[in-house]
Amino acid sequence: MDNEDRSIYIDADPETVWHALTNEDNFSAWYAPGSVWRIPELEAGCKALFTLMPSEHNQLEEGEHVDMSFTITEVVPYSRFSYMADEDELHFIFDVRSENAGSRVTVNMDGFGLSLENLKAFAEGRELPNV
């Protein structure tokens, strides 16, 4: 994964998109469906935990999982959510801004195409395309 920005237009207001990004149940629904996010406190300096489960989009076998820990680095309500992987210090930044009647979400990483498509579908109340 390189550090080229990816963005997508979402036909939903920034508040809806923000809750899709920062609520652990919502985040778990669209990001690597079947895997689980835990965000006990939405505050810079707090930990977020992610358990990646097997899917057709990764190399994990049935019964395997990968636990990852992240440190939340920035929380600007309805605007920016960022966190850093504790293992390799990879920094993920999600920016949300109003655009036309909806929102534009930009993430600072290439390789998020499928996830952004899922985020768009989730925030717009549609079926996820990438499960």
Side-chain angles (χ1 to χ4, degrees):
M1 215 180 297
D2 61 37
N3 288 337
E4 287 196 29
D5 290 357
R6 300 281 281 179
S7 75
I8 196 164
Y9 175 79
I10 299 175
D11 190 15
D13 60 74
E15 183 175 353
T16 298
V17 173
W18 176 257
H19 291 297
L21 286 169
T22 60
N23 174 282
E24 64 185 26
D25 292 332
N26 293 343
F27 207 166
S28 296
W30 66 265
Y31 185 86
S35 299
V36 179
W37 278 94
R38 293 288 172 242
I39 306 172
E41 289 186 63
L42 187 60
E43 187 174 310
C46 292
K47 296 291 182 187
L49 305 171
F50 177 64
T51 302
L52 180 64
M53 301 301 288
S55 80
E56 67 181 57
H57 303 287
N58 63 46
Q59 304 299 318
L60 296 177
E61 298 291 329
E62 189 65 37
E64 291 182 319
H65 68 276
V66 176
D67 292 321
M68 298 175 223
S69 175
F70 298 88
T71 300
I72 298 170
T73 55
E74 192 172 12
V75 178
V76 180
Y78 314 111
S79 180
R80 178 174 275 195
F81 177 54
S82 67
Y83 52 89
M84 185 175 297
D86 292 337
E87 184 175 314
D88 59 12
E89 296 187 351
L90 199 55
H91 197 191
F92 300 85
I93 303 168
F94 289 88
D95 285 312
V96 180
R97 66 176 163 73
S98 291
E99 183 176 299
N100 299 323
S103 304
R104 167 115 359 230
V105 175
T106 303
V107 64
N108 69 319
M109 299 283 173
D110 194 17
F112 266 77
L114 298 178
S115 295
L116 288 176
E117 289 173 12
N118 275 0
L119 171 60
K120 176 180 175 66
F122 181 84
E124 292 176 352
R126 296 183 294 107
E127 187 173 323
L128 299 183
N130 305 296
V131 290

